[in-house]
Protein backbone atom coordinates (compact mmCIF):
# COMPACT_ATOMS: atom_id res chain seq x y z
CA UNK A 1 0.00 0.00 0.00
CA UNK A 2 1.50 3.35 -1.06
CA UNK A 3 1.51 6.01 1.59
CA UNK A 4 0.16 9.48 1.04
CA UNK A 5 2.89 12.03 0.31
CA UNK A 6 3.67 14.73 2.86
CA UNK A 7 6.65 17.07 3.10
CA UNK A 8 9.17 15.83 5.63
CA UNK A 9 9.31 19.14 7.42
CA UNK A 10 7.86 22.63 7.53
CA UNK A 11 8.67 25.56 9.77
CA UNK A 12 7.30 28.91 10.74
CA UNK A 13 7.66 31.68 13.28
CA UNK A 14 5.21 32.35 16.09
CA UNK A 15 2.14 34.14 14.80
CA UNK A 16 2.66 33.06 11.20
CA UNK A 17 0.56 30.58 9.23
CA UNK A 18 1.82 27.34 7.74
CA UNK A 19 0.28 24.75 5.44
CA UNK A 20 1.07 21.05 5.26
CA UNK A 21 0.11 19.18 2.12
CA UNK A 22 -0.97 15.57 1.72
CA UNK A 23 -1.04 14.18 -1.81
CA UNK A 24 -2.74 10.98 -2.82
CA UNK A 25 -4.71 9.67 -5.74
CA UNK A 26 -8.27 9.51 -6.99
CA UNK A 27 -8.64 6.27 -5.02
CA UNK A 28 -8.13 8.02 -1.72
CA UNK A 29 -7.70 11.77 -1.12
CA UNK A 30 -9.18 12.85 -4.44
CA UNK A 31 -12.11 10.48 -4.46
CA UNK A 32 -13.58 10.97 -1.01
CA UNK A 33 -13.97 13.66 1.61
CA UNK A 34 -12.53 11.40 4.28
CA UNK A 35 -9.16 12.98 5.03
CA UNK A 36 -8.12 13.47 8.64
CA UNK A 37 -5.13 15.03 10.36
CA UNK A 38 -3.50 13.87 13.59
CA UNK A 39 -0.99 15.74 15.72
CA UNK A 40 1.68 13.84 17.63
CA UNK A 41 3.97 15.37 20.22
CA UNK A 42 7.17 13.46 21.13
CA UNK A 43 6.46 10.49 23.33
CA UNK A 44 2.70 10.95 23.06
CA UNK A 45 -0.10 9.19 21.21
CA UNK A 46 -1.53 10.88 18.12
CA UNK A 47 -4.41 13.30 18.59
CA UNK A 48 -7.12 14.06 16.03
CA UNK A 49 -7.20 17.71 14.94
CA UNK A 50 -9.21 17.58 11.66
CA UNK A 51 -11.60 14.96 10.26
CA UNK A 52 -13.54 14.62 7.02
CA UNK A 53 -11.31 17.24 5.33
CA UNK A 54 -12.36 20.33 7.26
CA UNK A 55 -14.10 19.43 10.51
CA UNK A 56 -12.59 20.19 13.90
CA UNK A 57 -13.30 17.96 16.89
CA UNK A 58 -14.56 19.62 20.01
CA UNK A 59 -11.73 21.20 21.94
CA UNK A 60 -9.38 21.71 19.00
CA UNK A 61 -8.34 25.30 18.41
CA UNK A 62 -9.94 27.11 15.47
CA UNK A 63 -6.41 27.97 14.38
CA UNK A 64 -6.45 24.53 12.75
CA UNK A 65 -8.27 24.21 9.43
CA UNK A 66 -8.35 21.75 6.57
CA UNK A 67 -9.10 21.84 2.87
CA UNK A 68 -8.81 19.76 -0.27
CA UNK A 69 -8.24 20.37 -3.95
CA UNK A 70 -8.11 17.46 -6.34
CA UNK A 71 -5.80 14.78 -5.00
CA UNK A 72 -4.18 17.06 -2.41
CA UNK A 73 -5.45 17.83 1.06
CA UNK A 74 -3.99 20.56 3.24
CA UNK A 75 -3.77 21.38 6.92
CA UNK A 76 -3.34 25.05 7.78
CA UNK A 77 -2.31 26.28 11.20
CA UNK A 78 -2.70 30.00 11.71
CA UNK A 79 -1.24 32.11 14.50
CA UNK A 80 1.51 29.56 15.13
CA UNK A 81 2.31 28.86 18.75
CA UNK A 82 5.21 27.02 20.32
CA UNK A 83 2.87 24.23 21.41
CA UNK A 84 2.03 23.50 17.77
CA UNK A 85 5.52 22.07 17.25
CA UNK A 86 4.82 18.39 16.59
CA UNK A 87 4.55 15.75 13.90
CA UNK A 88 1.43 15.82 11.74
CA UNK A 89 -0.02 12.86 9.86
CA UNK A 90 -2.76 12.77 7.27
CA UNK A 91 -4.96 9.71 6.96
CA UNK A 92 -7.46 8.98 4.23
CA UNK A 93 -10.06 6.43 3.33
CA UNK A 94 -8.89 4.41 0.34
CA UNK A 95 -10.80 2.17 -2.02
CA UNK A 96 -7.54 0.49 -3.09
CA UNK A 97 -7.29 -1.88 -0.15
CA UNK A 98 -9.75 -3.87 1.92
CA UNK A 99 -8.41 -2.23 5.05
CA UNK A 100 -9.72 1.06 3.72
CA UNK A 101 -7.13 3.28 5.39
CA UNK A 102 -3.92 4.87 4.10
CA UNK A 103 -1.49 7.03 6.07
CA UNK A 104 0.79 9.87 5.13
CA UNK A 105 4.48 9.67 6.00
CA UNK A 106 4.25 12.53 8.49
CA UNK A 107 5.51 16.12 8.60
CA UNK A 108 7.67 17.61 11.34
CA UNK A 109 6.51 21.13 12.18
CA UNK A 110 9.15 23.34 13.76
CA UNK A 111 8.18 26.63 15.36
CA UNK A 112 11.21 28.87 15.04
CA UNK B 1 -14.25 8.56 29.49
CA UNK B 2 -13.24 6.63 26.40
CA UNK B 3 -10.01 4.78 27.03
CA UNK B 4 -7.80 2.23 25.31
CA UNK B 5 -5.03 0.47 27.21
CA UNK B 6 -2.55 -1.72 25.37
CA UNK B 7 -0.39 -4.38 26.99
CA UNK B 8 1.70 -7.40 26.13
CA UNK B 9 4.74 -5.77 24.57
CA UNK B 10 8.29 -6.73 25.41
CA UNK B 11 11.59 -8.00 24.07
CA UNK B 12 11.34 -11.10 21.90
CA UNK B 13 13.81 -13.01 19.74
CA UNK B 14 13.43 -13.08 15.95
CA UNK B 15 11.10 -15.84 14.81
CA UNK B 16 9.21 -15.94 18.10
CA UNK B 17 5.64 -14.89 18.85
CA UNK B 18 3.91 -12.28 20.98
CA UNK B 19 0.27 -11.41 21.69
CA UNK B 20 -0.77 -7.85 22.31
CA UNK B 21 -4.00 -6.84 24.05
CA UNK B 22 -6.00 -3.63 24.00
CA UNK B 23 -8.61 -3.17 26.71
CA UNK B 24 -11.38 -0.70 25.87
CA UNK B 25 -13.71 1.21 28.15
CA UNK B 26 -16.11 4.14 28.06
CA UNK B 27 -17.92 3.25 24.83
CA UNK B 28 -20.01 0.45 23.31
CA UNK B 29 -17.07 -1.69 22.21
CA UNK B 30 -19.14 -4.26 20.31
CA UNK B 31 -20.41 -1.53 17.96
CA UNK B 32 -16.97 -0.47 16.70
CA UNK B 33 -14.43 -1.92 14.35
CA UNK B 34 -10.95 -1.57 15.82
CA UNK B 35 -7.51 -0.95 14.36
CA UNK B 36 -3.88 -1.64 15.23
CA UNK B 37 -1.32 0.95 14.10
CA UNK B 38 2.41 0.80 14.73
CA UNK B 39 5.31 3.25 14.81
CA UNK B 40 8.91 2.16 14.49
CA UNK B 41 11.43 4.20 16.50
CA UNK B 42 11.86 7.60 14.89
CA UNK B 43 9.50 6.70 12.04
CA UNK B 44 5.96 7.47 10.97
CA UNK B 45 2.67 5.78 11.70
CA UNK B 46 1.95 2.54 9.83
CA UNK B 47 -1.46 0.90 9.65
CA UNK B 48 -1.38 -2.78 10.70
CA UNK B 49 -4.85 -4.34 10.76
CA UNK B 50 -8.57 -3.82 11.27
CA UNK B 51 -11.26 -6.06 12.67
CA UNK B 52 -14.99 -5.48 12.21
CA UNK B 53 -17.29 -4.90 15.16
CA UNK B 54 -18.37 -8.54 15.28
CA UNK B 55 -15.01 -10.05 14.36
CA UNK B 56 -16.17 -11.51 11.05
CA UNK B 57 -14.02 -9.31 8.81
CA UNK B 58 -10.28 -8.85 9.25
CA UNK B 59 -7.85 -7.06 6.97
CA UNK B 60 -4.10 -6.60 7.17
CA UNK B 61 -1.29 -4.53 5.71
CA UNK B 62 0.59 -6.56 3.11
CA UNK B 63 3.78 -6.80 5.16
CA UNK B 64 1.91 -8.41 8.07
CA UNK B 65 -0.40 -10.69 6.13
CA UNK B 66 0.08 -14.31 7.12
CA UNK B 67 2.13 -13.48 10.22
CA UNK B 68 -0.24 -11.32 12.26
CA UNK B 69 -3.77 -12.17 13.38
CA UNK B 70 -6.23 -9.68 14.80
CA UNK B 71 -9.09 -10.91 16.99
CA UNK B 72 -11.49 -9.60 19.60
CA UNK B 73 -13.54 -10.68 22.58
CA UNK B 74 -16.59 -8.46 22.91
CA UNK B 75 -17.42 -9.99 26.29
CA UNK B 76 -14.11 -8.67 27.59
CA UNK B 77 -14.06 -5.42 25.57
CA UNK B 78 -10.65 -6.39 24.27
CA UNK B 79 -8.95 -6.57 20.89
CA UNK B 80 -5.84 -8.67 20.34
CA UNK B 81 -2.94 -8.83 17.93
CA UNK B 82 -1.18 -12.18 17.64
CA UNK B 83 2.21 -11.67 16.05
CA UNK B 84 4.14 -14.70 14.78
CA UNK B 85 7.50 -15.10 13.02
CA UNK B 86 8.61 -11.74 14.33
CA UNK B 87 11.36 -9.86 12.53
CA UNK B 88 13.66 -7.04 13.58
CA UNK B 89 11.65 -4.70 11.38
CA UNK B 90 8.55 -5.38 13.50
CA UNK B 91 10.19 -3.45 16.34
CA UNK B 92 7.77 -0.63 17.06
CA UNK B 93 5.29 0.96 19.43
CA UNK B 94 1.95 -0.68 18.74
CA UNK B 95 -1.20 1.40 19.20
CA UNK B 96 -4.81 0.36 19.09
CA UNK B 97 -7.16 3.00 17.72
CA UNK B 98 -10.91 3.54 17.72
CA UNK B 99 -12.73 4.99 14.70
CA UNK B 100 -14.68 8.18 15.26
CA UNK B 101 -17.93 6.51 14.26
CA UNK B 102 -19.21 3.20 12.98
CA UNK B 103 -22.48 2.30 11.32
CA UNK B 104 -23.64 -1.25 10.77
CA UNK B 105 -21.59 -1.48 7.58
CA UNK B 106 -18.73 1.00 7.71
CA UNK B 107 -16.51 2.90 10.11
CA UNK B 108 -14.85 6.25 9.69
CA UNK B 109 -11.24 6.27 8.50
CA UNK B 110 -10.29 8.70 11.25
CA UNK B 111 -9.57 7.86 14.85
CA UNK B 112 -10.87 9.77 17.83
CA UNK B 113 -9.12 7.69 20.47
CA UNK B 114 -5.69 6.10 20.62
CA UNK B 115 -4.11 4.07 23.39
CA UNK B 116 -0.73 4.94 24.85
CA UNK B 117 0.92 2.10 22.94
CA UNK B 118 2.88 -1.00 23.90
CA UNK B 119 6.50 -1.40 22.81
CA UNK B 120 7.67 -4.48 20.97
CA UNK B 121 11.40 -5.02 20.50
CA UNK B 122 12.53 -7.88 18.30
CA UNK B 123 16.16 -8.63 19.00
CA UNK B 124 18.45 -11.57 19.63
Amino acid sequence: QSALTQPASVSGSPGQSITISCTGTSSDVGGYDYVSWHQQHPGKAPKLVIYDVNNRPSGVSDRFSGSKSGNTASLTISGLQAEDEADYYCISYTSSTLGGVVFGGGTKLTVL
Amino acid sequence: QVQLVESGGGVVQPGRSLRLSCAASGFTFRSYGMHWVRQAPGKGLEWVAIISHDGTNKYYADSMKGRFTISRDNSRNTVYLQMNSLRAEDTALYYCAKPGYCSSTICSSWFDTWGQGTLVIVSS
Side-chain angles (χ1 to χ4, degrees):
Chain A
Q1 295 99 333
S2 299
L4 305 175
T5 300
Q6 298 182 233
S9 63
V10 300
S11 63
S13 299
Q16 288 185 331
S17 293
I18 62 94
T19 297
I20 300 172
S21 62
C22 170
T23 301
T25 69
S26 58
S27 297
D28 39 66
V29 174
Y32 309 90
D33 289 335
Y34 296 143
V35 178
S36 61
W37 293 89
H38 291 73
Q39 175 194 62
Q40 186 181 35
H41 287 109
K44 300 293 188 181
K47 172 192 171 186
L48 179 70
V49 293
I50 293 288
Y51 67 96
D52 292 348
V53 176
N54 57 11
N55 293 277
R56 263 189 323 274
S58 172
V60 172
S61 170
D62 60 4
R63 298 184 298 104
F64 290 82
S65 63
S67 62
K68 192 186 83 167
S69 178
N71 292 339
T72 299
S74 298
L75 172 71
T76 297
I77 308 174
S78 59
L80 265 182
Q81 299 179 1
E83 68 210 46
D84 299 330
E85 184 163 298
D87 294 323
Y88 291 85
Y89 295 90
C90 61
I91 302 175
S92 175
Y93 170 77
T94 177
S95 59
S96 295
T97 67
L98 293 173
V101 176
V102 62
F103 283 57
T107 297
K108 168 68 176 177
L109 169 61
T110 301
V111 180
L112 303 170
Chain B
Q1 76 280 20
V2 177
Q3 193 173 13
L4 301 172
V5 179
E6 301 94 338
S7 61
V11 180
V12 61
Q13 293 179 327
R16 303 296 292 266
S17 300
L18 206 59
R19 189 177 84 153
L20 308 182
S21 301
C22 169
S25 59
F27 65 101
T28 308
F29 180 74
R30 64 181 181 274
S31 296
Y32 284 83
M34 293 293 294
H35 295 254
W36 284 98
V37 177
R38 71 182 184 182
Q39 186 169 35
K43 302 295 185 183
L45 300 172
E46 180 183 22
W47 179 76
V48 173
I50 180 177
I51 185 167
S52 61
H53 67 98
D54 58 0
T56 56
N57 294 305
K58 308 172 185 181
Y59 304 112
Y60 303 89
D62 286 344
S63 60
M64 294 108 191
K65 220 173 285 184
R67 298 190 301 123
F68 288 12
T69 301
I70 190 172
S71 61
R72 66 190 295 158
D73 184 341
N74 285 346
S75 69
R76 296 178 182 270
N77 285 358
T78 300
V79 59
Y80 304 98
L81 186 68
Q82 177 69 40
M83 305 184 296
N84 299 331
S85 303
L86 283 163
R87 308 165 180 166
E89 54 265 37
D90 295 319
T91 293
L93 188 63
Y94 284 74
Y95 293 102
C96 63
K98 169 189 168 292
Y101 68 82
C102 285
S103 67
S104 57
T105 56
I106 194 169
C107 292
S108 68
S109 57
W110 47 272
F111 310 111
D112 65 354
T113 306
W114 299 68
Q116 84 290 347
T118 187
L119 182 61
V120 173
I121 298 174
V122 183
S123 173
S124 55

mmCIF file of all heavy atoms in Angstrom, chain B residues 68-96:
data_model
loop_
_atom_site.group_PDB
_atom_site.id
_atom_site.type_symbol
_atom_site.label_atom_id
_atom_site.label_comp_id
_atom_site.label_asym_id
_atom_site.label_seq_id
_atom_site.Cartn_x
_atom_site.Cartn_y
_atom_site.Cartn_z
ATOM 1 N N PHE B 68 0.521 -11.947 11.181
ATOM 2 C CA PHE B 68 -0.235 -11.316 12.263
ATOM 3 C C PHE B 68 -1.700 -11.726 12.168
ATOM 4 O O PHE B 68 -2.238 -11.884 11.062
ATOM 5 C CB PHE B 68 -0.139 -9.792 12.167
ATOM 6 C CG PHE B 68 1.203 -9.208 12.525
ATOM 7 C CD1 PHE B 68 2.331 -9.999 12.670
ATOM 8 C CD2 PHE B 68 1.331 -7.843 12.698
ATOM 9 C CE1 PHE B 68 3.562 -9.456 12.995
ATOM 10 C CE2 PHE B 68 2.560 -7.272 13.026
ATOM 11 C CZ PHE B 68 3.682 -8.085 13.167
ATOM 12 N N THR B 69 -2.350 -11.863 13.331
ATOM 13 C CA THR B 69 -3.774 -12.173 13.385
ATOM 14 C C THR B 69 -4.450 -11.250 14.386
ATOM 15 O O THR B 69 -4.045 -11.199 15.555
ATOM 16 C CB THR B 69 -4.019 -13.632 13.784
ATOM 17 O OG1 THR B 69 -3.379 -14.500 12.846
ATOM 18 C CG2 THR B 69 -5.517 -13.930 13.803
ATOM 19 N N ILE B 70 -5.460 -10.546 13.918
ATOM 20 C CA ILE B 70 -6.234 -9.677 14.799
ATOM 21 C C ILE B 70 -7.487 -10.429 15.230
ATOM 22 O O ILE B 70 -8.080 -11.182 14.440
ATOM 23 C CB ILE B 70 -6.580 -8.348 14.096
ATOM 24 C CG1 ILE B 70 -7.177 -7.341 15.076
ATOM 25 C CG2 ILE B 70 -7.484 -8.570 12.893
ATOM 26 C CD1 ILE B 70 -7.353 -5.926 14.483
ATOM 27 N N SER B 71 -7.886 -10.255 16.478
ATOM 28 C CA SER B 71 -9.090 -10.908 16.985
ATOM 29 C C SER B 71 -9.685 -10.027 18.081
ATOM 30 O O SER B 71 -9.071 -9.028 18.484
ATOM 31 C CB SER B 71 -8.780 -12.303 17.528
ATOM 32 O OG SER B 71 -7.864 -12.221 18.612
ATOM 33 N N ARG B 72 -10.859 -10.377 18.545
ATOM 34 C CA ARG B 72 -11.491 -9.605 19.599
ATOM 35 C C ARG B 72 -12.387 -10.476 20.443
ATOM 36 O O ARG B 72 -12.875 -11.528 19.979
ATOM 37 C CB ARG B 72 -12.276 -8.428 19.022
ATOM 38 C CG ARG B 72 -13.465 -8.794 18.180
ATOM 39 C CD ARG B 72 -14.031 -7.562 17.466
ATOM 40 N NE ARG B 72 -14.561 -6.580 18.399
ATOM 41 C CZ ARG B 72 -14.709 -5.284 18.095
ATOM 42 N NH1 ARG B 72 -14.361 -4.829 16.908
ATOM 43 N NH2 ARG B 72 -15.214 -4.443 18.980
ATOM 44 N N ASP B 73 -12.620 -10.027 21.658
ATOM 45 C CA ASP B 73 -13.545 -10.679 22.577
ATOM 46 C C ASP B 73 -14.480 -9.579 23.084
ATOM 47 O O ASP B 73 -14.098 -8.794 23.959
ATOM 48 C CB ASP B 73 -12.775 -11.341 23.725
ATOM 49 C CG ASP B 73 -13.675 -12.113 24.667
ATOM 50 O OD1 ASP B 73 -14.898 -11.867 24.672
ATOM 51 O OD2 ASP B 73 -13.167 -12.963 25.400
ATOM 52 N N ASN B 74 -15.670 -9.534 22.527
ATOM 53 C CA ASN B 74 -16.587 -8.460 22.909
ATOM 54 C C ASN B 74 -17.100 -8.611 24.345
ATOM 55 O O ASN B 74 -17.570 -7.644 24.934
ATOM 56 C CB ASN B 74 -17.747 -8.374 21.922
ATOM 57 C CG ASN B 74 -17.322 -7.739 20.597
ATOM 58 O OD1 ASN B 74 -16.261 -7.131 20.492
ATOM 59 N ND2 ASN B 74 -18.159 -7.893 19.577
ATOM 60 N N SER B 75 -17.007 -9.808 24.891
ATOM 61 C CA SER B 75 -17.424 -9.990 26.291
ATOM 62 C C SER B 75 -16.399 -9.398 27.255
ATOM 63 O O SER B 75 -16.722 -9.079 28.396
ATOM 64 C CB SER B 75 -17.633 -11.469 26.598
ATOM 65 O OG SER B 75 -16.402 -12.162 26.585
ATOM 66 N N ARG B 76 -15.179 -9.242 26.772
ATOM 67 C CA ARG B 76 -14.106 -8.674 27.593
ATOM 68 C C ARG B 76 -13.700 -7.274 27.133
ATOM 69 O O ARG B 76 -12.755 -6.687 27.667
ATOM 70 C CB ARG B 76 -12.872 -9.578 27.551
ATOM 71 C CG ARG B 76 -13.086 -10.954 28.151
ATOM 72 C CD ARG B 76 -11.825 -11.800 28.009
ATOM 73 N NE ARG B 76 -12.009 -13.151 28.530
ATOM 74 C CZ ARG B 76 -11.766 -13.500 29.787
ATOM 75 N NH1 ARG B 76 -11.322 -12.611 30.666
ATOM 76 N NH2 ARG B 76 -11.969 -14.745 30.175
ATOM 77 N N ASN B 77 -14.384 -6.743 26.123
ATOM 78 C CA ASN B 77 -14.063 -5.420 25.568
ATOM 79 C C ASN B 77 -12.581 -5.311 25.219
ATOM 80 O O ASN B 77 -11.911 -4.322 25.537
ATOM 81 C CB ASN B 77 -14.435 -4.305 26.562
ATOM 82 C CG ASN B 77 -15.931 -4.061 26.634
ATOM 83 O OD1 ASN B 77 -16.716 -4.688 25.926
ATOM 84 N ND2 ASN B 77 -16.334 -3.172 27.513
ATOM 85 N N THR B 78 -12.079 -6.333 24.555
ATOM 86 C CA THR B 78 -10.647 -6.394 24.274
ATOM 87 C C THR B 78 -10.394 -6.823 22.829
ATOM 88 O O THR B 78 -11.075 -7.721 22.323
ATOM 89 C CB THR B 78 -9.947 -7.368 25.237
ATOM 90 O OG1 THR B 78 -10.146 -6.920 26.582
ATOM 91 C CG2 THR B 78 -8.443 -7.433 24.973
ATOM 92 N N VAL B 79 -9.423 -6.172 22.216
ATOM 93 C CA VAL B 79 -8.952 -6.575 20.886
ATOM 94 C C VAL B 79 -7.509 -7.047 21.035
ATOM 95 O O VAL B 79 -6.756 -6.537 21.867
ATOM 96 C CB VAL B 79 -9.081 -5.411 19.870
ATOM 97 C CG1 VAL B 79 -8.281 -4.190 20.302
ATOM 98 C CG2 VAL B 79 -8.682 -5.857 18.476
ATOM 99 N N TYR B 80 -7.154 -8.037 20.236
ATOM 100 C CA TYR B 80 -5.840 -8.667 20.338
ATOM 101 C C TYR B 80 -5.086 -8.583 19.008
ATOM 102 O O TYR B 80 -5.680 -8.438 17.943
ATOM 103 C CB TYR B 80 -5.988 -10.138 20.714
ATOM 104 C CG TYR B 80 -6.763 -10.392 21.981
ATOM 105 C CD1 TYR B 80 -8.117 -10.730 21.940
ATOM 106 C CD2 TYR B 80 -6.143 -10.293 23.218
ATOM 107 C CE1 TYR B 80 -8.828 -10.965 23.101
ATOM 108 C CE2 TYR B 80 -6.854 -10.526 24.395
ATOM 109 C CZ TYR B 80 -8.198 -10.855 24.319
ATOM 110 O OH TYR B 80 -8.903 -11.087 25.477
ATOM 111 N N LEU B 81 -3.773 -8.690 19.112
ATOM 112 C CA LEU B 81 -2.936 -8.831 17.925
ATOM 113 C C LEU B 81 -1.925 -9.928 18.201
ATOM 114 O O LEU B 81 -1.021 -9.761 19.022
ATOM 115 C CB LEU B 81 -2.222 -7.527 17.572
ATOM 116 C CG LEU B 81 -1.441 -7.564 16.251
ATOM 117 C CD1 LEU B 81 -2.410 -7.681 15.070
ATOM 118 C CD2 LEU B 81 -0.556 -6.327 16.099
ATOM 119 N N GLN B 82 -2.121 -11.070 17.552
ATOM 120 C CA GLN B 82 -1.177 -12.177 17.644
ATOM 121 C C GLN B 82 -0.119 -12.000 16.571
ATOM 122 O O GLN B 82 -0.448 -11.926 15.383
ATOM 123 C CB GLN B 82 -1.900 -13.515 17.453
ATOM 124 C CG GLN B 82 -0.988 -14.726 17.456
ATOM 125 C CD GLN B 82 -0.377 -15.002 18.821
ATOM 126 O OE1 GLN B 82 -1.029 -14.875 19.844
ATOM 127 N NE2 GLN B 82 0.901 -15.370 18.832
ATOM 128 N N MET B 83 1.120 -11.918 16.986
ATOM 129 C CA MET B 83 2.215 -11.672 16.051
ATOM 130 C C MET B 83 3.164 -12.873 16.061
ATOM 131 O O MET B 83 3.749 -13.194 17.097
ATOM 132 C CB MET B 83 2.967 -10.394 16.445
ATOM 133 C CG MET B 83 2.079 -9.175 16.554
ATOM 134 S SD MET B 83 2.985 -7.657 16.896
ATOM 135 C CE MET B 83 3.648 -8.032 18.501
ATOM 136 N N ASN B 84 3.281 -13.527 14.918
ATOM 137 C CA ASN B 84 4.144 -14.696 14.776
ATOM 138 C C ASN B 84 5.317 -14.384 13.854
ATOM 139 O O ASN B 84 5.295 -13.404 13.109
ATOM 140 C CB ASN B 84 3.350 -15.873 14.218
ATOM 141 C CG ASN B 84 2.209 -16.294 15.128
ATOM 142 O OD1 ASN B 84 2.283 -16.137 16.345
ATOM 143 N ND2 ASN B 84 1.148 -16.820 14.538
ATOM 144 N N SER B 85 6.324 -15.244 13.900
ATOM 145 C CA SER B 85 7.496 -15.100 13.016
ATOM 146 C C SER B 85 8.012 -13.665 13.016
ATOM 147 O O SER B 85 8.230 -13.055 11.965
ATOM 148 C CB SER B 85 7.128 -15.526 11.594
ATOM 149 O OG SER B 85 6.645 -16.850 11.567
ATOM 150 N N LEU B 86 8.214 -13.143 14.204
ATOM 151 C CA LEU B 86 8.607 -11.738 14.328
ATOM 152 C C LEU B 86 9.988 -11.475 13.747
ATOM 153 O O LEU B 86 10.886 -12.318 13.805
ATOM 154 C CB LEU B 86 8.540 -11.307 15.799
ATOM 155 C CG LEU B 86 7.109 -11.037 16.297
ATOM 156 C CD1 LEU B 86 7.047 -11.024 17.809
ATOM 157 C CD2 LEU B 86 6.586 -9.725 15.713
ATOM 158 N N ARG B 87 10.116 -10.295 13.176
ATOM 159 C CA ARG B 87 11.359 -9.856 12.535
ATOM 160 C C ARG B 87 11.855 -8.577 13.204
ATOM 161 O O ARG B 87 11.081 -7.867 13.841
ATOM 162 C CB ARG B 87 11.103 -9.575 11.052
ATOM 163 C CG ARG B 87 10.428 -10.689 10.292
ATOM 164 C CD ARG B 87 9.895 -10.190 8.965
ATOM 165 N NE ARG B 87 9.238 -11.247 8.188
ATOM 166 C CZ ARG B 87 8.458 -11.028 7.136
ATOM 167 N NH1 ARG B 87 8.229 -9.779 6.730
ATOM 168 N NH2 ARG B 87 7.907 -12.038 6.502
ATOM 169 N N ALA B 88 13.110 -8.269 13.000
ATOM 170 C CA ALA B 88 13.663 -7.041 13.578
ATOM 171 C C ALA B 88 12.864 -5.820 13.134
ATOM 172 O O ALA B 88 12.658 -4.872 13.915
ATOM 173 C CB ALA B 88 15.123 -6.897 13.190
ATOM 174 N N GLU B 89 12.389 -5.848 11.908
ATOM 175 C CA GLU B 89 11.646 -4.696 11.378
ATOM 176 C C GLU B 89 10.242 -4.550 11.967
ATOM 177 O O GLU B 89 9.548 -3.575 11.686
ATOM 178 C CB GLU B 89 11.575 -4.738 9.855
ATOM 179 C CG GLU B 89 11.026 -6.026 9.277
ATOM 180 C CD GLU B 89 12.130 -6.994 8.894
ATOM 181 O OE1 GLU B 89 13.165 -7.072 9.607
ATOM 182 O OE2 GLU B 89 11.939 -7.721 7.879
ATOM 183 N N ASP B 90 9.825 -5.504 12.790
ATOM 184 C CA ASP B 90 8.554 -5.376 13.500
ATOM 185 C C ASP B 90 8.711 -4.598 14.800
ATOM 186 O O ASP B 90 7.729 -4.332 15.498
ATOM 187 C CB ASP B 90 7.965 -6.758 13.804
ATOM 188 C CG ASP B 90 7.590 -7.535 12.553
ATOM 189 O OD1 ASP B 90 7.037 -6.906 11.621
ATOM 190 O OD2 ASP B 90 7.868 -8.746 12.509
ATOM 191 N N THR B 91 9.950 -4.250 15.141
ATOM 192 C CA THR B 91 10.186 -3.449 16.339
ATOM 193 C C THR B 91 9.474 -2.109 16.213
ATOM 194 O O THR B 91 9.704 -1.352 15.260
ATOM 195 C CB THR B 91 11.698 -3.214 16.534
ATOM 196 O OG1 THR B 91 12.324 -4.460 16.844
ATOM 197 C CG2 THR B 91 11.962 -2.216 17.655
ATOM 198 N N ALA B 92 8.584 -1.833 17.159
ATOM 199 C CA ALA B 92 7.767 -0.632 17.065
ATOM 200 C C ALA B 92 6.921 -0.477 18.319
ATOM 201 O O ALA B 92 6.785 -1.404 19.126
ATOM 202 C CB ALA B 92 6.847 -0.700 15.844
ATOM 203 N N LEU B 93 6.342 0.698 18.449
ATOM 204 C CA LEU B 93 5.294 0.959 19.433
ATOM 205 C C LEU B 93 3.975 0.641 18.744
ATOM 206 O O LEU B 93 3.704 1.164 17.656
ATOM 207 C CB LEU B 93 5.350 2.414 19.874
ATOM 208 C CG LEU B 93 4.458 2.858 21.032
ATOM 209 C CD1 LEU B 93 4.828 2.120 22.314
ATOM 210 C CD2 LEU B 93 4.588 4.360 21.236
ATOM 211 N N TYR B 94 3.207 -0.237 19.349
ATOM 212 C CA TYR B 94 1.953 -0.684 18.743
ATOM 213 C C TYR B 94 0.780 -0.011 19.460
ATOM 214 O O TYR B 94 0.624 -0.139 20.684
ATOM 215 C CB TYR B 94 1.821 -2.204 18.828
ATOM 216 C CG TYR B 94 2.706 -2.904 17.816
ATOM 217 C CD1 TYR B 94 4.089 -2.981 18.002
ATOM 218 C CD2 TYR B 94 2.170 -3.479 16.666
ATOM 219 C CE1 TYR B 94 4.901 -3.600 17.068
ATOM 220 C CE2 TYR B 94 2.974 -4.104 15.727
ATOM 221 C CZ TYR B 94 4.344 -4.159 15.928
ATOM 222 O OH TYR B 94 5.160 -4.777 14.996
ATOM 223 N N TYR B 95 -0.030 0.718 18.685
ATOM 224 C CA TYR B 95 -1.201 1.403 19.200
ATOM 225 C C TYR B 95 -2.467 0.675 18.745
ATOM 226 O O TYR B 95 -2.543 0.211 17.604
ATOM 227 C CB TYR B 95 -1.307 2.817 18.643
ATOM 228 C CG TYR B 95 -0.245 3.800 19.060
ATOM 229 C CD1 TYR B 95 0.806 4.124 18.199
ATOM 230 C CD2 TYR B 95 -0.317 4.460 20.283
ATOM 231 C CE1 TYR B 95 1.764 5.072 18.554
ATOM 232 C CE2 TYR B 95 0.634 5.400 20.648
ATOM 233 C CZ TYR B 95 1.665 5.696 19.778
ATOM 234 O OH TYR B 95 2.604 6.637 20.132
ATOM 235 N N CYS B 96 -3.488 0.652 19.591
ATOM 236 C CA CYS B 96 -4.813 0.362 19.088
ATOM 237 C C CYS B 96 -5.543 1.695 18.967
ATOM 238 O O CYS B 96 -5.233 2.658 19.684
ATOM 239 C CB CYS B 96 -5.581 -0.634 19.954
ATOM 240 S SG CYS B 96 -5.923 -0.112 21.626
#
